[in-house]
Amino acid sequence: LGDFCAIPGRDPHSPQAQPRPHPPRAFPFHTHIKMISSAIQTTPVAVRTSQVGKRTTAVQPNVRFMGRMPVPQRSADLQGRKALQVKNSFSRDMYLSMDDTMFNKYQDTSAPASLDGIGENVFKGAVADRYLKTQGLTVADLDDHTWVKDFAKADKIAKAVAAWATDRGASSWCHWFQPMAATYRHGQTAQVQNALLTFGDDGKPKFNFSGKQLLQSETDGSSYPNGGMRATHTAAAYLTVDPESPIFLRGDSFFVPALFVSWKGDALDEKTPLHRACQAMSRAGSRMFKACGVDSVDGLVNNIGLEQELFLIPRECYFKRMDLQLTGRTVMGKMPPRGQEGSDHYMGPINTSGPAWNAMKEIQAECFKIGIPLITRHREVAPNQYEFAPMFGTVVGQIDNNLMVMQIMEEVAAKHGLVALLQEKPFAGINGSGKHNNWSLATKCGVQLLNPGSLTKAFGKSELFPIVMACMLTAIDKYGDLMRMGIATPGNDFRLGGMEASPAVMSTYLGEDMTSYLEAFMNGEVKDYVPKTSTISLGVDALPTLTAPAEDRNRTSPFPYGGSRFEFRACGSSQNLSLVNAVLNTIIAEEMNNLAEKVETGESPIAVAQGLLKEHLKIVFNGNGYAESWPAEATEKGLFVIPTQPEAIRAMTAPKNVELFTKNGIFTEEECAARQSVQLGAYVGVVEMEALCMIDMMNQHVIPSAKKAGFNADELKKGVTMLEEGLAAVHAEADEGKQADLARHLRLDTMIKVREVCDAMEAIVPEEDWTIATYKELLFLDQHMGKTVYAA
């Protein structure tokens, strides 16, 4: 089977089934198995020696392949070995097991690395330029986003896109957009795929794609979460191209990133408010610089880098957990004897004999094809937890990329017998998953606002950096409630405040060096900020001397400064971070405008910034965010301390925040109310799903298991009653705010108490009687590897 590709319907033993060379490292063996598994009959395996390299190969005489395909080459390590024999038959599971434990071990890795194929499925740069030139355009026309206002140019770009896409095998297209509250939606996006097909006057089919199609399409707006902005009798909504995010291709379709608005122009998506906020920030930045005597800044850009954490768990165990399948987290489960006590998983070698290694490589490869520079991969702290991180990029493009990364993770994991869990806290007792939002600002010509050296060198004004920082700290202090609202997810209620996740207290860490510098500026000392560095000797003459920056790394801060950027560490792994970044861009725009307004009326920019620091430097906290005293201390200082999601969501309609959003053109008052309603409804829906899963799991598994093992199940039955009563109270409440509060009590009080009863029962029921996959089975992928299929 490993030495030739058989022709459909032909006996692989026949002379016509000629061996052919194998392309090195083609694609994972499980891919072939998935394609042919339905054609394999589970009959005994014959052992046959092929003539390719004189290797012994187990083959299946009755296999009929669905088509010719490359098969990974086995290493010469197998030469001369005894015939490998398989017990029983070739089942799909055994093929997958072979992939994990044998085929990858012996796969040829001698081929050189290649850049071929990277970025080939994204319409930008050199890839796009070739096709644009056939229409009399260049990539400069594509990068000048004013083409969306020029119908003739849009039509030419559409023709170039269609030619590129059909050359690459695409025959369909779609507008690709981001509905609100899409956490449980695969990929968190929406689309309607349409064939490029049209018919000429002669009745013959041909491919066609026009500028009109590219620029606008219509869809239903009432079936998406909309907070009352759409209804079945007022359902019209529209999609339009987003020129800031490139068109990309997957499978037989190309995807046009799009914005989604109602018939009245209300934003029904996550992306439109982000664009509005970026525009507001850019204009405010220009105004602020002009007020400070710098006329050459014609706008700002927001760049981000998103670190995506996830869990990879065995798919067969996932199917034994209703809660994971339907909600993404375990609502019960006893911790095994081993957790993450030894920190042995963090950045450990990825097991090259296991499916996680292959899945991670394929995830990266799929991302590279569509131009997503997913350059970093590593194990995270918790068992079965991993992380990917890309290069920095513009905020709109990076968020689009991240949504596709999450979709690819889920799809590729399934091909490797795994499940990618993106929820913030799928397992109690170990680390949860975040999505760190590394956030920076730059001028359009590349000067970094949060890099003091870059800013001073470009404009020769040492006061610019502390002025920018004064605006930043003021924004965090005044609008920390909105920042907390932006990161409000059901999973974050369990994640924040421990196990390397920041607390739900909005503050920032600067480090003592920068804090001292800003204090000196506040008190009248205006000078360049030159960060202090220190050297670290390893005590061995032959080894290098290290240079340490001014700032340490404070992982308990939700929004620490890290040199040229702030890192919003509190963001949740499941989130679309459009709203988070819309908030950040809006609040900094507001404070830049406020500073500029005061300067324009005659005040000194330095004096204004000094006044801001005197009022708002309290937002800086360089200590331990896990200290028990910190929440109370933060409350005394007037900082925002908001423990749970229902409370955080209400910040959306606080009068000061509605004024902020409307003044800067981000949301109307109606849009603010609608988004709050959507978020409250989504929270209640999640709690309902989790509670119903818990009830079903108890009735169908926990209670029967307890009875079978001879234990009294009365406490479990009481727990079911408590859950049903709590859920009934949620359903009976008409007010959405009060309903969310009842749901919070059900989730964070009642369900936790009932879980304790379930977990205590799991601890004493014999393993053979417990029918739910345990944490031991879910979390230790490496320890479950090596199922014996071949015997030498």
Side-chain angles (χ1 to χ4, degrees):
L1 181 62
D3 294 316
F4 55 81
C5 286
I7 298 173
R10 185 173 293 169
D11 188 334
H13 291 292
S14 70
Q16 289 80 9
Q18 296 296 322
R20 72 176 189 181
H22 307 287
R25 305 187 69 172
F27 46 90
F29 184 72
H30 76 274
T31 305
H32 313 295
I33 300 308
K34 185 173 181 181
M35 296 170 69
I36 67 172
S37 60
S38 61
I40 295 175
Q41 301 176 18
T42 54
T43 54
V45 174
V47 176
R48 176 181 179 222
T49 302
S50 79
Q51 296 305 309
V52 180
K54 297 189 177 182
R55 293 187 295 276
T56 301
T57 308
V59 298
Q60 165 58 276
N62 294 328
V63 168
R64 292 293 182 267
F65 284 76
M66 302 302 292
R68 295 178 65 88
M69 60 195 79
V71 178
Q73 184 174 345
R74 296 190 187 181
S75 163
D77 277 358
L78 291 180
Q79 291 183 24
R81 288 196 176 198
K82 296 179 181 179
L84 300 177
Q85 297 181 354
V86 180
K87 299 177 181 180
N88 301 323
S89 60
F90 267 125
S91 69
R92 182 180 181 277
D93 288 342
M94 295 174 76
Y95 270 118
L96 290 172
S97 183
M98 276 194 290
D99 176 34
D100 296 339
T101 60
M102 291 293 290
F103 278 79
N104 292 317
K105 180 177 179 182
Y106 294 113
Q107 189 174 341
D108 178 18
T109 58
S110 61
S114 173
L115 298 177
D116 291 346
I118 295 178
E120 66 185 2
N121 286 344
V122 60
F123 193 74
K124 64 183 292 188
V127 171
D129 197 51
R130 171 188 164 196
Y131 291 90
L132 289 166
K133 284 177 179 176
T134 66
Q135 300 297 322
L137 303 176
T138 68
V139 74
D141 294 294
L142 184 67
D143 293 340
D144 178 2
H145 301 154
T146 59
W147 66 263
V148 299
K149 305 286 188 180
D150 185 334
F151 290 103
K153 190 173 287 187
D155 206 49
K156 292 180 179 180
I157 289 175
K159 287 180 168 57
V161 169
W164 160 75
T166 52
D167 279 355
R168 300 208 58 76
S171 57
S172 298
W173 76 281
C174 66
H175 276 130
W176 181 69
F177 59 103
Q178 304 168 18
M180 290 186 278
T183 301
Y184 289 97
R185 175 187 289 269
H186 177 50
Q188 299 197 28
T189 59
Q191 60 199 255
V192 175
Q193 296 185 1
N194 297 293
L196 294 170
L197 184 66
T198 189
F199 290 91
D201 293 337
D202 58 0
K204 292 184 178 180
K206 61 181 180 179
F207 292 122
N208 183 65
F209 185 58
S210 68
K212 181 179 179 181
Q213 291 171 292
L214 176 61
L215 289 174
Q216 181 175 325
S217 62
E218 183 177 354
T219 188
D220 162 42
S222 64
S223 293
Y224 299 96
N226 61 74
M229 292 188 290
R230 295 282 79 193
T232 309
H233 65 293
T234 55
Y238 301 94
L239 299 163
T240 187
V241 63
D242 177 4
E244 292 191 20
S245 190
I247 296 167
F248 62 94
L249 183 151
R250 288 192 79 213
D252 70 346
S253 298
F254 66 86
F255 297 75
V256 180
L259 301 100
F260 181 39
V261 297
S262 76
W263 181 74
K264 298 191 297 180
D266 297 318
L268 298 176
D269 63 348
E270 301 283 1
K271 177 177 274 199
T272 300
L274 176 60
H275 272 281
R276 295 170 179 170
C278 288
Q279 177 176 274
M281 177 272 298
S282 178
R283 291 174 175 174
S286 295
R287 183 184 179 190
M288 182 200 71
F289 273 102
K290 186 174 182 180
C292 294
V294 178
D295 295 327
S296 59
V297 175
D298 61 353
L300 303 182
V301 293
N302 174 208
N303 294 311
I304 65 170
L306 301 177
E307 304 170 39
Q308 179 68 56
E309 296 175 341
L310 75 158
F311 282 83
L312 292 172
I313 65 168
R315 199 164 191 84
E316 59 182 330
C317 298
Y318 172 78
F319 290 134
K320 296 179 181 178
R321 296 287 315 210
M322 179 193 302
D323 48 3
L324 282 178
Q325 287 180 272
L326 301 183
T327 74
R329 84 171 183 99
T330 55
V331 297
M332 62 180 70
K334 182 187 78 69
M335 277 297 294
R338 174 179 171 182
Q340 59 188 46
E341 295 85 355
S343 298
D344 53 325
H345 199 269
Y346 189 49
M347 295 192 182
I350 303 170
N351 190 335
T352 57
S353 296
W357 167 253
N358 287 320
M360 294 179 79
K361 289 193 297 181
E362 189 174 345
I363 288 166
Q364 281 186 297
E366 287 297 307
C367 289
F368 290 159
K369 289 178 186 177
I370 55 177
I372 300 175
L374 203 64
I375 58 172
T376 300
R377 67 187 184 212
H378 66 85
R379 290 187 190 254
E380 257 299 336
V381 172
N384 286 15
Q385 190 182 33
Y386 299 86
E387 180 181 303
F388 288 94
M391 294 178 178
F392 259 63
T394 58
V395 62
V396 170
Q398 285 292 297
I399 288 174
D400 280 6
N401 284 354
N402 179 253
L403 295 176
M404 185 49 66
V405 166
M406 291 195 289
Q407 179 176 331
I408 289 171
M409 285 174 173
E410 292 181 338
E411 293 172 354
V412 170
K415 294 164 63 178
H416 291 267
L418 302 172
V419 172
L421 298 179
L422 296 166
Q423 214 256 26
E424 287 79 12
K425 195 73 172 179
F427 304 103
I430 57 175
N431 278 22
S433 295
K435 192 191 325 255
H436 302 167
N437 187 83
N438 295 279
W439 185 88
S440 69
L441 295 175
T443 66
K444 290 185 177 179
C445 56
V447 179
Q448 298 294 316
L449 270 66
L450 299 178
N451 182 322
S454 173
L455 202 54
T456 303
K457 181 180 179 181
F459 303 118
K461 291 176 174 283
S462 59
E463 69 270 23
L464 286 177
F465 179 70
I467 287 172
V468 170
M469 290 300 292
C471 290
M472 198 72 232
L473 298 182
T474 302
I476 302 167
D477 190 27
K478 288 173 62 176
Y479 299 106
D481 57 340
L482 278 180
M483 292 174 65
R484 176 66 179 91
M485 181 276 298
I487 60 166
T489 72
N492 257 354
D493 280 358
F494 290 112
R495 170 178 167 261
L496 295 179
M499 294 188 167
E500 300 184 13
S502 62
V505 180
M506 289 299 107
S507 66
T508 185
Y509 164 86
L510 299 182
E512 297 301 333
D513 190 58
M514 183 180 288
T515 303
S516 297
Y517 167 78
L518 291 176
E519 287 174 342
F521 174 84
M522 178 180 70
N523 293 320
E525 186 177 347
V526 181
K527 62 180 182 179
D528 289 351
Y529 174 53
V530 181
K532 296 176 182 177
T533 59
S534 59
T535 57
I536 301 173
S537 171
L538 302 185
V540 178
D541 294 342
L543 295 179
T545 298
L546 304 179
T547 301
E551 306 87 17
D552 202 341
R553 180 177 289 196
N554 190 335
R555 301 175 79 185
T556 69
S557 175
F559 198 68
Y561 177 80
S564 303
R565 76 191 194 282
F566 282 92
E567 181 183 11
F568 205 170
R569 293 181 54 84
C571 301
S573 55
S574 71
Q575 286 190 268
N576 177 330
L577 292 188
S578 293
L579 181 59
V580 166
N581 286 285
V583 166
L584 294 177
N585 283 300
T586 302
I587 64 178
I588 189 61
E590 174 72 3
E591 297 314 317
M592 287 178 170
N593 277 326
N594 286 343
L595 183 140
E597 185 176 348
K598 291 179 180 179
V599 175
E600 289 161 0
T601 59
E603 296 186 52
S604 157
I606 292 176
V608 174
Q610 289 169 336
L612 292 175
L613 288 173
K614 288 176 183 177
E615 185 177 356
H616 299 290
L617 197 61
K618 64 180 182 177
I619 195 66
V620 176
F621 179 64
N622 294 327
N624 180 8
Y626 290 165
E628 290 185 13
S629 61
W630 172 230
E633 182 184 338
T635 301
E636 268 185 38
K637 293 173 70 172
L639 308 189
F640 289 101
V641 182
I642 308 174
T644 64
Q645 184 178 358
E647 299 163 278
I649 290 170
R650 289 177 169 86
M652 193 74 198
T653 56
K656 73 177 181 68
N657 296 335
V658 173
E659 181 183 1
L660 168 78
F661 284 132
T662 55
K663 176 182 175 183
N664 286 279
I666 315 304
F667 295 117
T668 64
E669 186 173 352
E670 181 185 7
E671 286 174 321
C672 287
R675 286 185 182 256
Q676 177 170 295
S677 177
V678 167
Q679 289 187 64
L680 289 171
Y683 177 81
V684 172
V686 168
V687 175
E688 179 184 44
M689 289 188 291
E690 290 181 352
L692 289 172
C693 279
M694 195 171 206
I695 290 169
D696 280 357
M697 290 171 72
M698 292 176 72
N699 284 333
Q700 297 169 14
H701 295 276
V702 180
I703 292 174
S705 293
K707 289 181 175 179
K708 183 177 181 181
F711 295 110
N712 188 302
D714 289 348
E715 287 301 309
L716 293 168
K717 292 177 181 178
K718 288 179 184 178
V720 170
T721 301
M722 290 168 61
L723 294 172
E724 290 173 338
E725 290 174 350
L727 197 54
V730 172
H731 291 160
E733 179 55 60
D735 180 88
E736 61 185 8
K738 294 178 180 178
Q739 189 180 49
D741 290 337
L742 288 169
R744 176 187 58 199
H745 178 77
L746 173 61
R747 188 172 192 249
L748 301 181
D749 183 76
T750 306
M751 289 180 65
I752 288 176
K753 290 177 181 176
V754 174
R755 176 180 184 146
E756 291 172 357
V757 178
C758 294
D759 292 355
M761 185 59 69
E762 181 185 345
I764 59 176
V765 169
E767 183 178 12
E768 62 270 18
D769 293 333
W770 193 257
T771 57
I772 300 172
T774 65
Y775 273 28
K776 180 177 75 71
E777 296 168 312
L778 291 161
L779 286 174
F780 297 96
L781 198 59
D782 288 350
Q783 282 67 36
H784 293 301
M785 292 305 302
K787 183 191 297 183
T788 301
V789 175
Y790 280 111

